């Protein structure tokens, strides 16, 4: 059984309220040694329960904290101060997910950009990597990163779905690429080519659960155990064993997030 690490999961969401323990048990049975839980701002005074879950199970979970671009317009100043304190907490391994989403535009673009810049500055201040969400805003993201600079601790383009040209641009900027179940989708030929060509010490695997279940679970609620299907596809693209993909991507995530 391969050793796997899900580098981006939302297990604190209500989607798992009824069977979270069973989901975790299936993940462990599938070979997951660790899951990085993404703690996001939910409402005034609340960043969800990712950090609480990680505190209860430090052997299995680590946590990030951040403001998603969708919600950036709603975050009060007091919660930005709370985020600064949380990000500095030794239990937190990264800042985000943050970034830009010009597909849905749930927050005004200028507000998203300001929040992204603020998050990059915070990640630099606490010396932790940044987790970036990006959709249909590549040029603006590139400009912001060029102007702000990537934190010295680095960062990851979570759920990367582009082709090789875009992958190379983010790799040249110093980012890792995290690959989700999209790589198994029939339409993802450009992404598969990018995964084939990407340096193997810069690739992570993730579920982004409960979203983006890989084939053959597409359309169902995603869960960390399904990261094995993503790892299988990466192994096929690299021409190596799933065990090797597990070892490499786990080590990459551990190095990036400075995990135990």
């Amino acid at each position: 059984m391969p050793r796997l690490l899900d580098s981006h999961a939302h297990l604190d969401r209500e989607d798992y309220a009824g069977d979270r323990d069973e989901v975790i048990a299936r993940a462990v049975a599938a070979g997951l040694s660790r899951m990085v839980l993404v703690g996001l701002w939910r409402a005034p005074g609340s960043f969800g329960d990712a950090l609480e879950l990680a505190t209860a199970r430090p052997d299995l979970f680590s946590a990030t904290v951040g403001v998603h671009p969708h919600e950036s317009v709603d975050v009060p100043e007091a919660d930005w101060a709370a985020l600064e304190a949380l990000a500095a907490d030794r239990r937190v391994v990264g800042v985000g997910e943050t970034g830009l989403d010009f597909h849905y535009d749930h927050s005004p673009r200028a507000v998203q950009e300001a929040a992204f810049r603020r998050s990059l500055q915070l990640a630099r201040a606490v010396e932790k990597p940044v987790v970036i969400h990006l959709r249909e805003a590549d040029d603006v993201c590139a400009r912001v990163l060029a102007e702000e600079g990537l934190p010295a601790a680095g960062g990851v383009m979570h759920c990367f779905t582009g082709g090789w040209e875009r992958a190379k641009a983010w790799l040249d900027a110093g980012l890792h690429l995290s690959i989700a179940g999209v790589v198994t989708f029939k339409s993802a030929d450009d992404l598969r080519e990018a995964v084939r060509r990407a340096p193997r010490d810069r690739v992570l695997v993730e579920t982004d659960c409960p979203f983006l279940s890989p084939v053959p679970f597409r359309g169902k609620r995603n869960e960390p155990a399904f990261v094995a299907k993503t790892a299988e596809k990466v192994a096929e693209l690299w021409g190596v064993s799933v065990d090797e993909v597990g070892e490499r991507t786990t080590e990459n995530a551990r190095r990036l997030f400075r995990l135990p």
Side-chain angles (χ1 to χ4, degrees):
M1 180 186 298
R3 183 176 70 130
L4 297 166
L5 189 153
D6 184 352
S7 68
H8 195 107
H10 298 279
L11 273 185
D12 66 326
R13 286 177 59 98
E14 286 299 311
D15 304 72
Y16 304 102
D19 64 344
R20 188 173 289 109
D21 289 345
E22 291 85 351
V23 168
I24 294 169
R26 286 194 292 271
V28 173
L32 272 80
S33 60
R34 183 160 292 273
M35 291 160 261
V36 178
L37 307 184
V38 179
L40 292 175
W41 184 90
R42 298 285 180 79
S46 173
F47 283 86
D49 297 320
L51 184 55
E52 286 72 12
L53 288 170
T55 301
R57 290 292 307 272
D59 59 312
L60 191 58
F61 299 131
S62 297
T64 70
V65 290
V67 171
H68 194 285
H70 286 343
E71 282 75 49
S72 54
V73 71
D74 297 318
V75 182
E77 188 61 30
D79 284 350
W80 279 104
L83 177 61
E84 292 176 6
L86 286 170
D89 192 301
R90 60 179 178 77
R91 296 171 297 172
V92 170
V93 300
V95 175
E97 61 190 281
T98 179
L100 304 164
D101 194 313
F102 292 177
H103 177 79
Y104 287 109
D105 281 329
H106 288 326
S107 291
R109 295 182 178 186
V111 174
Q112 292 186 46
E113 181 176 334
F116 184 28
R117 289 179 183 274
R118 194 165 185 174
S119 298
L120 286 167
Q121 293 161 8
L122 175 57
R124 184 181 305 111
V126 298
E127 300 181 337
K128 292 175 183 177
V130 64
V131 179
I132 300 176
H133 168 105
L134 182 63
R135 192 165 185 188
E136 298 178 18
D138 291 48
D139 291 345
V140 177
C141 183
R143 173 173 56 79
V144 170
L145 287 174
E147 293 171 357
E148 294 290 343
L150 193 66
V156 57
M157 189 63 71
H158 119 80
C159 192
F160 176 75
T161 58
W164 172 242
E165 181 178 354
R166 184 48 61 184
K168 187 175 185 303
W170 299 136
L171 291 164
D172 289 348
L175 290 164
H176 288 63
L177 305 177
S178 188
I179 308 303
V182 177
V183 75
T184 69
F185 295 179
K186 185 177 180 180
S187 60
D189 288 340
D190 288 348
L191 172 58
R192 285 188 281 273
E193 178 63 18
V195 173
R196 285 189 192 97
R197 300 178 66 175
R200 296 180 185 181
D201 63 347
R202 303 280 291 284
V203 173
L204 316 181
V205 289
E206 66 168 82
T207 56
D208 197 20
C209 65
F211 314 106
L212 298 174
S213 292
V215 175
F217 306 108
R218 192 173 182 184
K220 299 180 180 180
R221 181 193 67 175
N222 203 358
E223 60 180 76
F226 296 170
V227 79
K229 294 299 181 183
T230 299
E232 288 173 9
K233 179 57 69 174
V234 174
E236 176 188 318
L237 296 170
W238 285 358
V240 301
S241 69
V242 179
D243 284 350
E244 181 170 339
V245 169
E247 290 296 327
R248 282 181 176 268
T249 57
T250 295
E251 178 55 33
N252 294 343
R254 289 187 183 280
R255 185 177 62 252
L256 175 65
F257 290 113
R258 292 178 283 184
L259 303 176

